[in-house]
């Protein structure tokens, strides 16, 4: 899962990014409204955390432009402005959630996970695919009832596949959702990760669709 | 008792009355004097005629030629009070009513010589005498020089005739002057009422501005008040600008404090920085204090006179849409019955703040259902929000809205929302009440707010300087009302 974090306070954004990465998110940081608007409009993110009081461009106008350009990524507004009029304005501009500073990091993580899960169309927190269970709320995988240990990259790939289980995920999209913007991506990286995942799961669960991408399936061929 | 009245009306009326009385008194005096002279002149003419006739009858040696001393008809009447006498140094002739002739004190200044002879060209001069009863007699006298010395020719008429004439004329004169004075006084009072009406109107408009129904005083004022109205409008704008500045300052403060606090909170989640979570608790406490005071600062500087008008239904719709997303993890059924035409006389931001806090509370406590309803009742609009969660006990309900009570100390989750909503409600002339919901068995919150058309304000505390409080009662009676 890749998240865009648009926040101008450097200490706060570094802290949030660190905490999110610890929860295995990939995080891209933008420090002003222009950069953030551009990134959100051109790159593929699972969610965005958007501050409102930004230099160069206000957060609400960035959000409006995203929605006008049909960017559907879930947006959580994170701001000091806690008046209800401002919250209503944020939602009207297209926000999906609203957190006021200061906040509890766990709440931010939970809300982000919930946003991503709902955007993928899952109402319930638990996603089951054959022997694999994904608790989208806690971000944990279980295989046959036992916790599955994954690296950050493996987790990102598997969660992307699990959220859209039984659907084909393009290889290019996988790359976008797994690596941060400035990461050095080897042409082979995804294949390596998929290979490792197949070892941890039942190999038949991850299907290669030639020329397109991969699909997570319940295992029955 | 003060002599100089405090009210403009009193002062203007007083000075107008004084000047009118002075003018009327002067008029009475002047007219009376003119009348007296007029009446006296008629008398004098008659007396002078008699005196001149007698003067021509005086022989150069000082004796009177009786054949030529003709008495005019008035002097012939018995008991008429008219009479004449001629006094030479040696002899005395008289006819008609008798009177004592005063001695000639000073010879009158000789008139300029017109070259017409000694007797002719002389004009009689006035004198005062008394008759037998001691009454005043009006005399006209001529001194004719003769061989024997100065001969005094005096004719007199009863003063009472003149006075009677005078009295006859003065009565209607004084009567009409009194009537005139009364009419002037009435006209003055009406003019003052009319003239001071703009002041009353100005006062009413100021009251409307304070109540939030008007943005500023109309500039269509009489020339003397127009600068005052302009200054008042400038003052109102200054005050509004001050409020807007304060609000901006408050939100800037929020931004300034909260982001570093958030950064601190996030830093503390790094492993090892806050092993027992006590530092995070402190951050949470600071956050609570900041929220509390910012909420109170926002309540203390409400929108006020700027735009005291908000449509209820769209605000509720927007808020429920936002809350449904905020609490998307807990599906709650919302039944909303708010008529589309309900309007409240409250700043839209304040309405969002009140309703938003109350609805957020309801969402947090509801198990599965929330009911929102609104109805208009005689100048007020009541918004009720019910949830099916656990209701506060009756004791807690009684305590919850006590003034000054910090609900955030209760820690039961109802926190700031209720106290902020209550403060804002009261500042906007409304009220908040709690009870048990009959339909959903949870808490029912009723928010009552004034509506713009003929609003009723539920003022719990007296407003300092209520408009209209300073007008003395008498002025109220005399000034046009409304």
């Amino acid at each position: 899962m890749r998240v865009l974090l648009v926040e101008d306070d450097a200490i706060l954004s570094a802290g949030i990014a660190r905490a999110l990465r610890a929860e295995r998110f990939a995080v891209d940081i933008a420090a002003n409204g222009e950069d953030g608007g551009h990134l959100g409009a051109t790159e593929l993110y699972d969610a965005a955390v958007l501050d409102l009081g930004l230099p160069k461009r206000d957060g609400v106008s960035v959000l409006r432009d995203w929605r006008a350009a049909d960017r559907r990524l879930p947006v959580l507004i994170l701001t000091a402005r806690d008046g209800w009029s401002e919250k209503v304005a944020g939602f009207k501009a297209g926000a999906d959630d609203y957190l006021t500073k200061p906040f509890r990091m766990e709440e931010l993580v939970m809300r982000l996970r919930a946003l991503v899960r709902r955007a993928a169309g899952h109402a319930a927190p638990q996603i089951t695919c054959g022997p694999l269970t994904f608790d989208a709320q806690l971000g944990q995988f279980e295989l046959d009832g036992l916790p599955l240990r994954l690296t950050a990259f493996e987790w990102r790939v598997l969660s992307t596949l699990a959220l859209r289980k039984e659907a084909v995920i393009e290889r290019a999209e996988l790359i976008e959702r797994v690596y941060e913007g400035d990461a050095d991506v080897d042409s082979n990286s995804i294949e390596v990760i998929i290979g490792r995942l197949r070892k941890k799961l039942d190999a038949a669960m991850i299907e290669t669709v030639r020329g397109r991408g991969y699909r997570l399936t319940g295992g029955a061929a | 008792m003060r002599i100089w009245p405090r009210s403009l009306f009193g002062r203007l009326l007083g000075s107008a009355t004084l000047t009118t009385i002075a003018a009327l008194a002067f008029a009475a005096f002047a007219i009376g004097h003119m009348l007296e002279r007029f009446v006296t002149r008629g008398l004098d003419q008659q007396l002078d005629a008699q005196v001149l006739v007698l003067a021509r009858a005086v022989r150069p040696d000082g004796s009177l030629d009786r054949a030529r001393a003709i008495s005019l008809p008035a002097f012939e009447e018995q008991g008429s009070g008219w009479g004449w006498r001629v006094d030479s140094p040696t002899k005395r002739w008289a006819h008609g009513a008798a009177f004592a002739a005063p001695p000639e004190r000073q010879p009158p200044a000789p008139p300029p010589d017109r070259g017409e002879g000694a007797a002719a060209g002389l004009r009689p001069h006035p004198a005062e005498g008394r008759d037998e009863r001691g009454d005043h007699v009006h005399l006209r006298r001529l001194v004719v020089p003769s061989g024997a010395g100065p001969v005094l020719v005096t004719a007199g008429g009863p003063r009472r005739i003149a006075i009677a004439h005078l009295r006859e004329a003065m009565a209607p004169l004084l009567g009409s002057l009194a009537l005139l004075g009364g009419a002037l006084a009435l006209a003055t009072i009406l003019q003052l009422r009319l003239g001071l009406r703009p002041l009353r109107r100005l006062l009413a408009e100021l009251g409307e501005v304070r109540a939030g129904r008007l943005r500023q005083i109309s500039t269509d004022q009489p020339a003397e008040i127009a600068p005052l109205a302009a200054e008042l409008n400038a003052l109102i704008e200054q005050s509004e600008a001050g409020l807007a500045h304060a609000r901006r300052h408050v939100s800037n403060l929020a931004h300034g404090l909260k982001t570093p606090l958030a950064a601190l909170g996030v830093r503390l989640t790094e492993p090892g920085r806050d092993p027992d979570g006590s530092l995070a608790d402190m951050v949470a406490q600071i956050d609570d204090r900041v929220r509390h005071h910012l909420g109170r600062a926002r309540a203390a500087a409400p929108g006020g006179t700027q735009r005291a008008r908000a449509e209820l239904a769209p605000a509720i719709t927007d808020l429920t849409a936002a809350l449904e997303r905020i609490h998307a993890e807990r599906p709650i059924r919302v039944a909303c019955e708010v008529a589309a035409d309900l309007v409240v006389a409250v700043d839209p931001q304040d309405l969002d703040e009140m309703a938003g806090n109350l609805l957020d509370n309801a969402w947090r406590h509801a198990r599965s259902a929330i009911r929102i309803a609104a109805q208009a009742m005689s100048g007020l609009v009541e918004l009720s929000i019910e949830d099916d969660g656990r209701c506060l006990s009756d004791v807690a309900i009684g305590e919850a809205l006590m003034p000054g009570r910090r609900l955030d100390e209760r820690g039961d989750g109802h926190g700031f929302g209720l106290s902020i909503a209550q403060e804002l409600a009261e500042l906007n002339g409304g009220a908040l009440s709690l009870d048990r919901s009959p339909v959903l068995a949870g808490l029912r919150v009723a928010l009552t707010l004034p509506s713009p058309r003929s609003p009723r304000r539920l003022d719990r505390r007296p407003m300092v300087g209520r408009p209209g409080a300073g007008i003395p009662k008498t002025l109220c009676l005399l000034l046009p009302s409304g």
Side-chain angles (χ1 to χ4, degrees):
Chain A
M1 281 189 217
R2 188 164 158 219
V3 166
L4 172 64
L5 172 61
V6 189
E7 164 64 61
D8 62 323
D9 184 288
I11 300 177
L12 180 58
S13 63
I16 295 177
R18 185 206 52 76
L20 286 179
R21 285 178 187 133
E23 297 293 334
R24 294 183 269 192
F25 287 95
V27 181
D28 283 357
I29 303 176
N32 60 65
E34 251 180 42
D35 293 343
H38 175 75
L39 282 175
T42 54
E43 305 266 332
L44 209 53
Y45 294 101
D46 290 283
V49 176
L50 181 63
D51 184 19
L52 290 185
L54 296 166
K56 295 200 183 166
R57 261 181 87 196
D58 181 68
V60 171
S61 72
V62 168
L63 177 55
R64 279 210 196 100
D65 287 351
W66 283 345
R67 295 307 184 217
D70 206 26
R71 304 298 292 179
R72 310 248 184 92
L73 76 163
V75 174
L76 182 146
I77 289 181
L78 182 68
T79 178
R81 302 180 195 167
D82 64 349
W84 278 99
S85 298
E86 285 140 335
K87 288 183 191 173
V88 163
F91 279 104
K92 276 185 156 168
D96 298 278
D97 207 346
Y98 201 105
L99 251 195
T100 52
K101 301 176 189 174
F103 55 93
R104 285 186 347 224
M105 199 61 221
E106 315 92 76
E107 189 165 0
L108 177 62
V109 171
M110 266 178 40
R111 286 183 173 272
L112 276 178
R113 287 189 179 138
L115 280 179
V116 173
R117 190 195 84 232
R118 285 202 304 272
H122 299 279
Q126 303 255 352
I127 300 170
T128 311
C129 191
L132 183 71
T133 313
F134 179 40
D135 185 328
Q137 204 55 33
L138 301 172
Q140 282 165 4
F141 283 96
E142 281 184 5
L143 186 65
D144 294 321
L146 294 172
L148 193 57
R149 294 168 62 91
L150 302 165
T151 67
F153 287 107
E154 289 165 6
W155 186 91
R156 290 173 199 168
V157 169
L158 192 55
S159 57
T160 305
L161 291 173
L163 278 171
R164 280 140 72 199
K165 63 175 185 177
E166 309 295 345
V168 181
I169 314 294
E170 304 274 332
R171 189 170 163 279
E173 188 185 327
L174 265 183
I175 293 176
E176 287 226 51
R177 292 198 188 272
V178 166
Y179 290 97
E180 294 179 3
D182 53 358
D184 212 356
V185 187
D186 231 342
S187 61
N188 219 21
S189 305
I190 292 290
E191 281 68 30
V192 171
I193 298 172
I194 294 285
R196 293 211 297 262
L197 277 174
R198 280 181 173 142
K199 289 209 188 93
K200 295 186 180 177
L201 304 169
D202 181 2
M205 284 184 71
I206 300 179
E207 200 184 295
T208 302
V209 179
R210 192 164 291 279
R212 286 184 59 200
Y214 301 93
R215 179 166 67 176
L216 181 73
T217 174
Chain B
M1 192 185 87
R2 290 177 65 104
I3 297 187
W4 193 232
R6 288 205 67 143
S7 66
L8 277 180
F9 185 88
R11 288 182 197 180
L12 288 171
L13 188 61
S15 49
T17 308
L18 282 176
T19 44
T20 304
I21 289 178
L24 289 177
F26 178 75
F29 178 75
I31 296 177
H33 184 70
M34 271 180 41
L35 273 180
E36 190 190 342
R37 287 190 53 173
F38 182 75
V39 165
T40 309
R41 181 135 53 98
L43 194 58
D44 284 351
Q45 277 177 353
Q46 294 221 329
L47 295 174
D48 286 356
Q50 178 68 78
V51 164
L52 288 173
V53 163
L54 291 173
R56 273 198 277 275
V58 173
R59 299 198 192 90
D61 63 357
S63 62
L64 189 70
D65 182 356
R66 283 222 72 123
R68 292 177 71 188
I70 303 167
S71 291
L72 296 179
F75 293 82
E76 291 292 342
E77 279 182 42
Q78 284 285 17
S80 65
W82 299 78
W84 55 262
R85 54 189 282 166
V86 179
D87 299 279
S88 78
T90 48
K91 254 193 112 178
R92 207 192 113 211
W93 300 268
H95 183 75
F99 50 85
E104 191 68 8
R105 278 187 227 114
Q106 281 241 14
D113 191 353
R114 288 201 183 98
E116 291 177 350
L122 291 176
R123 297 201 44 212
H125 58 270
E128 290 294 318
R130 288 185 187 272
D131 67 6
E132 301 124 357
R133 286 188 299 232
D135 296 335
H136 276 281
V137 183
H138 184 73
L139 303 176
R140 294 288 279 180
R141 164 176 295 169
L142 192 60
V143 179
V144 182
S146 69
V151 175
L152 306 176
V153 180
T154 316
R159 197 176 171 70
R160 66 183 150 78
I161 292 183
I163 291 179
H165 283 312
L166 212 52
R167 274 210 202 100
E168 264 179 46
M170 280 305 279
L173 171 68
L174 288 178
S176 12
L177 283 181
L179 269 176
L180 180 63
L184 282 177
L186 194 65
T188 304
I189 290 178
L190 287 173
Q191 282 171 25
L192 285 180
R193 274 185 70 170
L194 198 65
L196 290 178
R197 188 192 285 186
L199 281 181
R200 176 86 170 184
R201 207 184 84 187
L202 191 65
L203 187 63
E205 278 186 28
L206 257 185
E208 293 286 294
V209 169
R210 281 198 65 170
R213 290 187 281 275
L214 267 184
R215 262 220 72 194
Q216 56 173 6
I217 298 172
S218 83
T219 45
D220 175 27
Q221 304 280 356
E224 289 82 359
I225 303 186
L228 176 65
E231 280 296 318
L232 280 170
N233 280 337
L235 200 62
I236 291 170
E237 271 197 48
Q238 203 177 46
S239 156
E240 277 186 13
L243 278 176
H245 179 78
R247 276 203 133 150
R248 260 198 319 274
H249 201 67
V250 162
S251 81
N252 290 344
L253 178 65
H255 201 259
L257 280 179
K258 290 185 164 191
T259 300
L261 212 51
L264 179 61
V266 171
R267 257 299 179 84
L268 289 175
T269 64
E270 285 174 23
R273 288 215 187 258
D274 185 24
D276 58 354
S278 57
L279 296 179
D281 278 346
M282 286 189 207
V283 170
Q285 273 184 43
I286 297 176
D287 178 38
D288 275 355
R289 296 274 184 283
V290 166
R291 260 186 231 262
H292 175 81
H293 288 292
L294 283 178
R296 300 201 64 162
R298 183 186 286 129
T305 59
Q306 277 196 333
R307 311 160 286 152
R309 193 198 147 81
E311 292 179 19
L312 195 58
I316 299 293
T317 308
D318 288 344
L319 284 167
T320 41
L323 281 157
E324 273 169 353
R325 293 216 219 163
I326 290 175
H327 297 282
E329 293 293 287
R330 306 175 53 235
I332 305 278
R333 269 187 349 263
V334 179
C336 185
E337 294 155 21
V338 175
D341 61 346
L342 288 175
V343 182
V344 288
V346 169
D347 179 81
Q349 268 195 307
D350 288 349
L351 177 62
D352 280 342
E353 204 58 28
M354 285 185 273
N357 274 309
L358 295 175
L359 286 169
D360 191 38
N361 259 353
W363 242 276
R364 282 178 208 275
H365 291 89
R367 268 190 269 262
S368 62
I370 288 178
R371 184 166 167 272
I372 308 169
Q375 56 174 359
M377 23 185 249
S378 64
L380 297 169
V381 170
E382 187 196 68
L383 174 70
S384 80
I385 298 166
E386 305 164 66
D387 65 74
D388 66 347
R390 199 170 58 87
C391 184
L392 290 179
S393 68
D394 288 337
V395 172
I397 285 181
E399 281 186 348
L401 295 179
M402 258 164 44
R405 178 137 183 104
R406 279 189 57 168
L407 277 177
D408 50 299
E409 289 164 343
R410 295 172 50 85
D412 62 354
H414 281 279
F416 300 108
L418 275 179
S419 54
I420 289 179
Q422 183 186 27
E423 275 211 52
L424 276 175
E426 287 181 1
L427 268 167
N428 279 287
L432 192 73
S433 69
L434 306 177
D435 61 1
R436 177 160 289 132
S437 160
V439 177
L440 297 177
L443 185 67
R444 176 173 174 272
V445 181
L447 175 67
T448 314
L449 295 171
S451 67
R453 280 198 221 336
S454 58
R456 271 174 49 204
R457 285 183 66 100
L458 303 174
D459 277 312
R460 294 252 182 103
R461 0 177 179 175
M463 265 164 67
V464 175
R466 251 191 15 253
I471 308 180
K473 285 258 164 49
T474 47
L475 198 61
C476 283
L477 289 175
L478 290 170
L479 285 178
S481 58

